[in-house]
Amino acid sequence: MKITVVGAGAIGGFLACKLFAAGHDVSVIARGATLHAICEQGLQLQTGNDLLIAPLKATSEPKELGVQDVVILAVKAPALPTAVEVATALIGPQTIVIPALNGLPWWYFLKANSALSGTRLKAVDPDGVIERNIPTDAIIGCVVFPSCRVESPGVVRHMSGSKIVFGEPGGGISSRISNVTDCFLKAGFDAHAHENIREEIWLKLLGNACFNPVSLLVNCSTDEMIDDTNLNVLFIEMMSELLELGSRLGISPKIDPEQRIAITRKLGKVKTSMLQDVEGCKPVEIEAILGALMSVADLAGAPISRVRTVYALARMRARTLGLLAK
């Protein structure tokens, strides 16, 4: 398939390299030092002692690539509105768009058949730019669980995990979901098709909404935070609030806070994406991960007081660091 990954950072680089190695016609949209590095030495993926070098096409101009079979959006939330505007040149009537993002995606309630159906998440897409540029019918929901980091421009290290879940935004498993899942399975991913992708997104959000902002506040990896008794209690309380909020929306992942925490603890020493952004002096995804949750909780009448407190603290911390996206 002709596949373009928009964004060649940690997750985008990981996905692009493995899909290229599986024989697909893969391109990446990159810029600056990352674009230069890929053009000079290929996109590189380090997994343990193994090094995969993918001499794929890289450009900052999507128009050079034409319409694709699959477009994967793998940029951070603050960069997404700009990215989708330029990515329109890649999207035709049959193109599948896979947003591989953290937090609640802009489309989360647009095709929902439950509470808050049709709600637009202004914390994620305040001006409606994303929705206007990406056809809702083209979207396949996606949850990416692997942990990766950028070692240097064009060089990605895969730390742990290979699980990726796909599903229709409105629920069910279609032929295109089966085809995409099979494509990723053959590329070496632990790929799954899910009948309720919104539930799987909420499952990952339980971790992102807790570990990411707290790591921003305490500057620690996930294992250090989880092993701290007081923070462990805080995570259990925050996840309990989010599970209760989810139940009000008809979203009930079959997991409890202790089980969800244990999943992350098994990954070992992991720096959250938000902590990596702080260390790289990049805008953090406060609004996509927590701001959207605040607006959803307000609409659902859920207090989520502990999550709200962490949001306020993390947002102020990001502001004082000059990393709060405008």
Side-chain angles (χ1 to χ4, degrees):
M1 290 194 293
K2 291 182 67 176
I3 301 172
T4 290
V5 181
V6 181
I11 294 300
F14 173 59
L15 299 177
C17 279
K18 288 182 71 69
L19 289 167
F20 178 87
H24 295 285
D25 180 5
V26 180
S27 306
V28 295
I29 305 298
R31 55 188 175 83
T34 299
L35 175 59
H36 179 74
I38 297 171
C39 291
E40 287 291 315
Q41 60 193 27
L43 184 57
Q44 300 185 25
L45 177 65
Q46 300 174 347
T47 304
N49 295 321
D50 296 330
L51 174 63
L52 168 62
I53 300 177
L56 42 67
K57 290 174 287 187
T59 179
S60 60
E61 299 294 335
K63 291 181 181 179
E64 295 178 2
L65 303 175
V67 172
Q68 302 290 296
D69 298 315
V70 176
V71 173
I72 300 173
L73 302 175
V75 298
K76 294 295 179 66
L80 188 57
T82 300
V84 298
E85 286 186 302
V86 299
T88 54
L90 304 168
I91 301 171
Q94 304 302 317
T95 302
I96 291 171
V97 178
I98 304 176
L101 312 170
N102 281 326
L104 287 178
W106 78 94
W107 55 263
Y108 194 78
F109 292 106
L110 296 183
K111 283 198 166 186
N113 295 313
S114 58
L116 303 187
S117 177
T119 297
R120 286 170 168 78
L121 295 172
K122 293 187 177 180
V124 182
D125 188 17
D127 300 315
V129 171
I130 306 171
E131 187 179 348
R132 284 198 301 273
N133 284 280
I134 303 296
T136 303
D137 288 342
I139 295 168
I140 279 182
C142 174
V143 187
V144 180
F145 287 95
S147 173
C148 303
R149 70 172 185 236
V150 174
E151 297 280 80
S152 61
V155 181
V156 173
R157 176 166 291 279
H158 174 215
M159 305 299 293
S160 59
S162 64
K163 182 180 178 181
I164 301 181
V165 184
F166 300 100
E168 290 289 350
I173 298 178
S174 62
S175 59
R176 67 176 189 162
I177 294 296
S178 298
N179 291 338
V180 166
T181 302
D182 185 59
C183 166
F184 275 73
L185 275 171
K186 290 177 178 177
F189 296 95
D190 178 22
H192 302 265
H194 201 290
E195 290 189 349
N196 189 347
I197 193 64
R198 295 171 65 246
E199 195 170 88
E200 199 72 6
I201 289 171
W202 204 266
L203 173 65
K204 184 179 180 183
L205 187 62
L206 291 177
N208 274 342
C210 297
F211 305 132
N212 267 285
V214 175
S215 72
L216 166 63
L217 294 168
V218 301
N219 194 36
C220 290
S221 57
T222 53
D223 60 327
E224 295 174 294
M225 294 188 294
I226 290 170
D227 290 346
D228 181 88
T229 302
N230 294 315
L231 288 182
N232 197 297
V233 170
L234 174 62
F235 292 147
I236 289 172
E237 292 174 341
M238 291 175 70
M239 289 186 188
S240 296
E241 290 181 346
L242 295 175
L243 286 168
E244 195 278 330
L245 171 59
S247 69
R248 297 185 184 213
L249 306 174
I251 303 164
S252 300
K254 297 173 179 61
I255 199 167
D256 61 36
E258 290 83 356
Q259 291 170 327
R260 180 62 184 85
I261 291 170
I263 291 173
T264 298
R265 185 61 186 87
K266 288 179 181 178
L267 298 177
K269 191 177 186 66
V270 173
K271 285 187 179 180
T272 69
S273 59
M274 202 172 283
L275 182 55
Q276 291 182 49
D277 286 339
V278 170
E279 293 179 346
C281 298
K282 299 176 181 178
V284 294
E285 299 180 293
I286 292 286
E287 296 307 320
I289 292 176
L290 284 178
L293 273 174
M294 297 304 105
S295 60
V296 170
D298 289 342
L299 291 170
I304 60 168
S305 56
R306 290 171 182 80
V307 178
R308 197 176 294 273
T309 298
V310 169
Y311 167 64
L313 293 170
R315 195 174 191 278
M316 180 56 73
R317 177 61 175 155
R319 177 181 290 171
T320 60
L321 292 172
L323 302 179
L324 187 65
K326 297 179 180 179

